[in-house]
């Protein structure tokens, strides 16, 4: 942890949106509400708020209560006057090199049209529309159209499969699904519609399914239920004018499901007001956003990073954003660098997994392209190892671009710990808390552990971007996140971390049964239940082990029905079964057939024992082990 600092250049310092941290940070803590009120005032409100923070019903905090707003009014409507109207909002490129771009004016037209289509399908304020799509502009239009008319969206990552989609549709009780025939990955068409069809069979709440024609795959459409997106967009009902619904600041903007400790995914709820304020502020300050920026968040909109920093934060800040559908190294490992040169990308925000994946091909691929437009780089999703950090910094950033390593979660809505461009950096540390946040590393009793020691990461205060609840299960929200340190009012992140002598935070990793595989969040319980849904399997355990590229790889242990023999063939079949149920990202690295699983006397699988054994480490305290 005794690392040398990387200092920002004079050029970075000279143009910083936020020229000073310490004093401003102190102010943001001492006068948290005043700080957030100032930030909120940079947005457009239909009616100002009465109270910045309402903490009368902890931990169900509310922000900007009494205020009327719509995030779309901020992300689109207010940009339609003056020069921003004709500024590019979205530049999209497909893997094959097809380009589509939309000015704010054009984006508004697309969103209004689809908003009117949704209305004509009976979608109303408060409904939850499920969206299951590849990374194409229509995905953004669908999300924004929902928000515009006050419906909440629930985006399900396009890499997820039948069971994952079905469970999310069912939990949200969605009536409307927006999907596509499919996308492309590594030159091959991927199939979404048949997965959607199967999911609709398992979860029959969907009455209307709207499909975007994208990759031309043949699909099965059912009359009465299925409609083509483009057919609807060309009907007279799809007028390019649509009023933006006036929402309460605390009205629901979206639900995003994420993995937790049980097999049932949690739908985290975010709101129009606080979320808009938080994503816009963090994006503008941490990434020093300027009007001329070309912002590229190379994440998928199906994850929180895509929601907050591909779509909402950048659009509220009137940025030009880049969207790319495809693999980073297809057809060549220079695909991304070619994009950076072609579009003059100024800020690239991606994951350590992607960086490690590209680093593997060496320096010559990026050397062919002019990357001098880049001025900042970002990282998110998992701890970045110092080796990958240095490669990113030196080879991609030309030792010129600060790396903004942002620690945050689906639950937090936006950055919680991250540097500003002016912050001296240490490779592998997300550095310091963002404004308004007090971060602690504590023991089970909630007391700060000594400097440099590992403990549990907590946030000691509410912030505007926080998830308000778990959809349909407020009790679980209160217990899971706020229950452990209820007396102190701390939010438990579920990560372990250290704070060093300079006050820099070092994230170590998850402490619960959550795995970050290639930056994607998966629960061991989801993988286990997918395995058990196979007729040959009676019990299963999944653990994460270090993986050179993915950060974490999934390893599984399986008990077979009696009489069955675990062989190579069954191993392959089980891996494919998990991929089919959950999605390719959840494919286990290994399946081991075992006679029994280590369990506690209360019957819980002791995954930490499996992990220790796999790593050849000490198994620790085994007093609760059953046998
Ligand atoms: C944004 C996102 C949240 C978990 C989080 C932590 C890990 C995210 C990180 C990081 C170290 C970073 N994580 N960013 N770990 N350094 N910069 O990833 O949200 O999918 O909900 O995952 O990801 O473990 O608890 P989400």
């Amino acid at each position: 942890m005794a690392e040398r600092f990387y200092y920002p250049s004079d050029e970075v310092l000279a143009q910083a949106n936020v020229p000073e941290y310490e004093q401003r940070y102190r102010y943001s803590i001492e006068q948290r509400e005043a700080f957030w009120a100032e930030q909120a005032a940079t947005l457009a409100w239909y009616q100002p708020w009465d109270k910045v923070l309402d903490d009368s019903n902890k931990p169900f905090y509310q922000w900007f209560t009494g205020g009327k707003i719509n995030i779309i009014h901020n992300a689109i409507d207010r940009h339609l006057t003056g020069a921003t109207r004709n500024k590019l909002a979205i530049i999209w490129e497909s893997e094959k090199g097809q380009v589509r771009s939309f000015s704010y004016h054009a984006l508004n037209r697309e969103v209004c049209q689809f908003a009117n289509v949704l209305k004509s399908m009976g979608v109303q304020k408060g409904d939850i529309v499920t969206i299951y799509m590849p990374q194409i502009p229509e995905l953004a239009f669908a999300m924004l159209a929902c928000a515009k008319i006050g419906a909440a969206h629930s985006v399900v990552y396009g890499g997820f499969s039948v069971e994952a989609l079905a469970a999310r549709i069912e939990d949200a009780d969605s009536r409307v699904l927006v999907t596509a025939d499919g996308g492309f990955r590594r030159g091959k068409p991927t199939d979404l519609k048949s997965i959607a069809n199967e999911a609709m069979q398992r979860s029959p709440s969907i009455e209307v399914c709207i499909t975007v024609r994208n990759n031309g795959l043949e699909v099965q459409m059912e009359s009465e239920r299925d409609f083509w997106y483009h057919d609807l967009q060309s009907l007279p009902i799809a007028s390019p004018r649509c009023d933006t619904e006036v929402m309460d600041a605390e009205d629901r903007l979206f639900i995003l499901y994420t993995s937790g400790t049980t097999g049932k995914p949690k739908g985290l709820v975010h709101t129009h007001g606080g979320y808009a304020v938080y994503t816009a502020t963090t994006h503008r300050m941490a990434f020093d956003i300027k009007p001329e920026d070309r912002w590229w968040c190379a994440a998928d909109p199906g994850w929180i990073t895509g929601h907050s920093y591909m779509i909402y934060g950048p659009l509220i800040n009137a940025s030009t954003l880049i969207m790319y559908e495809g693999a980073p190294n297809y057809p060549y490992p220079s695909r991304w660098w070619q994009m950076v040169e072609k579009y003059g990308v100024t800020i690239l925000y991606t994951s350590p997994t992607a960086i490690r994946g590209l680093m593997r091909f060496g320096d010559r691929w990026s050397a062919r392209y002019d990357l001098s437009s880049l001025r900042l780089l970002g990282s998110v999703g998992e701890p970045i190892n110092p080796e990958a950090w240095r490669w990113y910094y030196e080879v991609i950033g030309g030792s010129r671009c600060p790396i903004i390593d942002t620690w945050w979660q689906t639950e937090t809505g936006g950055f919680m710990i991250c540097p500003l461009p002016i912050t001296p950096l240490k490779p592998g540390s997300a550095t310091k808390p963002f404004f308004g946040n007090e971060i602690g590393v504590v023991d089970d009793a909630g007391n700060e552990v000594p400097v440099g020691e590992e403990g549990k990461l907590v946030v000691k205060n509410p912030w505007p971007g926080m998830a308000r609840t778990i959809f349909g299960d407020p009790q679980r929200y209160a217990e899971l996140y706020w229950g452990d340190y209820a007396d102190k009012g701390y939010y438990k992140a579920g990560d372990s971390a250290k704070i060093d002598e300079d006050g820099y935070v070092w994230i170590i990793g998850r402490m619960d049964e959550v795995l970050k595989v290639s930056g994607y969040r998966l629960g061991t319980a989801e993988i286990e239940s997918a395995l058990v849904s196979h007729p040959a399997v009676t019990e299963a355990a999944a653990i994460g082990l270090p993986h050179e590229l993915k950060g974490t790889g999934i390893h599984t242990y399986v008990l077979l029905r009696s009489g069955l023999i675990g062989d190579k063939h069954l191993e392959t079949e089980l891996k494919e079964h998990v991929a089919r149920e959950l999605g390719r990202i959840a494919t286990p690295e290994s399946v081991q057939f075992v006679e029994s699983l280590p369990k506690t006397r209360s019957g819980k699988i002791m995954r930490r024992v499996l992990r220790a054994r796999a790593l050849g480490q000490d198994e620790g305290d085994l007093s609760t082990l059953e046998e």
Side-chain angles (χ1 to χ4, degrees):
M1 297 210 307
E3 275 286 345
R4 85 165 174 94
F5 284 108
Y6 284 70
Y7 290 96
S9 67
D10 290 345
E11 206 185 332
V12 169
L13 292 174
Q15 65 178 11
N17 284 354
V18 184
E20 190 278 336
Y21 174 79
E22 294 298 335
Q23 218 178 319
R24 216 182 151 89
Y25 175 70
R26 229 169 304 128
Y27 166 72
S28 77
I29 299 303
E30 281 159 17
Q31 306 216 34
R32 183 170 290 121
E33 292 182 38
F35 174 83
W36 285 117
E38 284 157 28
Q39 300 313 317
T42 67
L43 298 188
W45 295 77
Y46 298 116
Q47 182 184 299
W49 56 90
D50 304 320
K51 225 169 158 13
V52 176
L53 171 64
D54 179 349
D55 59 2
S56 56
N57 182 26
K58 291 173 189 168
F60 300 99
Y61 297 92
Q62 299 201 314
W63 287 85
F64 309 109
T65 49
K68 301 271 187 206
I69 191 170
N70 187 309
I71 200 165
I72 300 304
H73 183 56
N74 286 280
I76 301 178
D77 303 0
R78 67 168 177 162
H79 304 321
L80 298 177
T81 53
T84 330
R85 174 189 170 91
N86 292 326
K87 180 176 176 175
L88 287 183
I90 299 178
I91 303 173
W92 174 85
E93 188 169 316
S94 74
E95 203 176 61
K96 287 181 174 166
Q98 184 196 355
V99 181
R100 295 166 70 194
S101 57
F102 302 85
S103 64
Y104 275 90
H105 173 77
L107 176 64
N108 179 58
R109 188 185 57 229
E110 297 285 344
V111 170
C112 284
Q113 284 189 285
F114 196 57
N116 283 319
V117 166
L118 289 175
K119 277 189 182 173
S120 76
M121 294 291 178
V123 176
Q124 288 174 353
K125 188 169 173 172
D127 288 354
I128 304 169
V129 173
T130 298
I131 301 175
Y132 178 61
M133 278 170 117
Q135 198 174 145
I136 54 178
E138 285 78 5
L139 168 50
F141 304 158
M143 290 167 73
L144 298 165
C146 288
K148 186 175 177 82
I149 61 173
H153 52 72
S154 162
V155 178
V156 179
Y157 169 56
F160 271 149
S161 195
V162 181
E163 185 46 38
L165 176 59
R168 285 155 177 77
I169 291 174
E170 185 175 315
D171 189 77
D173 198 22
S174 272
R175 248 192 75 241
V176 175
L177 173 67
V178 187
T179 186
D181 46 6
F184 289 97
R185 195 76 177 173
R186 300 190 177 284
K188 292 197 191 79
T190 58
D191 179 4
L192 291 187
K193 179 62 168 134
S194 67
I195 292 173
N197 285 350
E198 208 177 320
M200 285 189 279
Q201 239 161 35
R202 289 194 202 179
S203 301
S205 63
I206 301 289
E207 291 166 20
V208 173
C209 175
I210 301 172
T211 305
V212 177
R213 189 58 138 173
N214 181 53
N215 67 2
L217 274 190
E218 202 172 313
V219 299
Q220 187 101 31
M221 304 281 275
E222 237 174 56
S223 61
E224 314 272 299
R225 185 193 71 188
D226 281 314
F227 301 87
W228 286 109
Y229 181 95
H230 297 90
D231 289 349
L232 297 171
Q233 290 284 80
S234 57
L235 294 177
I237 44 139
S239 140
R241 270 174 296 280
C242 177
D243 287 337
T244 303
E245 191 79 30
V246 175
M247 306 294 282
D248 285 333
E250 282 292 310
D251 275 342
R252 189 163 67 202
L253 169 64
F254 66 83
I255 295 179
L256 186 59
Y257 287 89
T258 191
S259 303
T261 44
T262 70
K264 192 169 174 273
K266 302 173 283 194
L268 275 315
V269 175
H270 285 282
T271 58
H272 273 261
Y275 179 80
V277 173
Y278 202 75
T279 53
T281 307
T282 46
H283 180 244
R284 188 177 69 244
M285 292 186 175
F287 282 100
D288 217 15
I289 299 301
K290 315 283 182 199
E292 62 275 19
D293 272 321
R294 290 256 162 124
W295 164 262
W296 184 11
C297 166
D300 192 281
W303 301 88
I304 190 68
T305 306
H307 282 56
S308 301
Y309 299 109
M310 173 180 271
I311 310 284
Y312 287 114
L315 291 179
I316 296 172
N317 289 329
S319 301
T320 296
L321 61 93
I322 313 285
M323 243 174 130
Y324 167 64
E325 188 212 3
N329 55 356
Y330 188 87
Y332 303 108
S334 56
R335 190 66 176 82
W336 272 18
W337 317 128
Q338 185 194 345
M339 292 271 297
V340 169
E341 177 180 300
K342 180 173 177 187
Y343 296 110
V345 171
T346 56
I347 312 174
L348 173 64
Y349 182 45
T350 187
S351 65
T353 289
I355 298 161
R356 286 192 295 264
L358 291 166
M359 180 170 86
R360 174 167 69 116
F361 297 105
D363 302 356
R364 68 199 169 98
W365 296 97
S366 57
R368 295 185 192 171
Y369 293 92
D370 178 4
L371 305 183
S372 63
S373 59
L374 289 171
R375 62 181 190 88
L376 290 168
L377 298 171
S379 177
V380 58
E382 49 179 320
I384 178 164
N385 47 312
E387 195 196 357
W389 194 100
R390 286 198 195 89
W391 185 80
Y392 197 29
Y393 183 81
E394 285 161 14
V395 177
I396 304 308
S399 301
R400 184 183 72 243
C401 311
I403 294 183
I404 310 299
D405 180 358
T406 59
W407 178 87
W408 60 294
Q409 310 175 296
T410 309
E411 291 85 347
T412 72
F415 310 151
M416 300 303 285
I417 307 173
C418 64
L420 302 175
I422 60 165
T423 308
L425 303 171
K426 299 188 190 188
S429 168
T431 76
K432 303 235 177 171
F434 188 76
F435 297 120
N437 295 326
E438 287 171 280
I439 299 291
V441 170
V442 301
D443 60 20
D444 286 336
N447 300 315
E448 228 77 23
V449 302
V451 168
E453 278 182 27
E454 185 174 342
K456 297 179 174 174
L457 186 68
V458 295
V459 183
K460 300 182 174 177
N461 52 270
W463 62 100
M466 62 200 292
R468 299 302 192 262
T469 188
I470 293 175
F471 180 68
D473 203 350
Q475 191 64 29
R476 191 170 165 210
Y477 171 81
E479 278 165 20
L480 194 58
Y481 301 111
W482 303 89
D484 286 10
Y485 307 107
D487 51 330
K488 294 197 148 88
Y490 292 175
Y491 165 86
K492 180 187 72 173
D495 281 16
S496 69
K498 297 178 189 183
I499 299 183
D500 72 13
E501 61 288 353
D502 296 312
Y504 278 48
V505 184
W506 297 77
I507 308 294
I508 295 164
R510 298 288 309 186
M511 294 179 312
D512 49 15
E513 309 305 342
V514 170
L515 307 179
K516 286 294 254 177
V517 180
S518 301
Y520 295 126
R521 183 163 159 181
L522 294 167
T524 51
E526 285 168 284
I527 301 158
E528 289 158 6
S529 81
L531 280 167
V532 174
S533 74
H534 188 282
V537 178
T538 54
E539 256 189 297
I543 60 166
L545 295 176
H547 185 285
E548 203 186 334
L549 290 179
K550 301 178 182 175
T552 302
I554 301 167
H555 296 263
T556 61
Y557 301 83
V558 163
L559 242 77
L560 294 176
R561 232 165 260 292
S562 64
L564 293 178
I565 297 165
D567 56 11
K568 212 66 215 146
H569 174 76
L570 188 55
E571 180 179 342
T572 312
E573 187 176 317
L574 290 177
K575 285 182 184 172
E576 280 168 7
H577 178 74
V578 175
R580 204 159 45 239
E581 288 292 301
L582 285 179
R584 234 166 32 90
I585 47 159
T587 313
E589 303 293 324
S590 74
V591 178
Q592 278 190 49
F593 301 103
V594 293
E595 302 281 303
S596 70
L597 291 168
K599 284 190 188 162
T600 62
R601 283 186 205 101
S602 58
K604 277 197 184 141
I605 298 170
M606 294 180 81
R607 295 185 191 80
R608 100 182 142 74
V609 173
L610 289 169
R611 249 181 77 83
R613 278 182 200 163
L615 294 170
Q617 291 170 347
D618 177 26
E619 292 174 8
D621 178 12
L622 295 180
S623 57
T624 55
L625 192 68
E626 185 191 27
E627 56 197 57

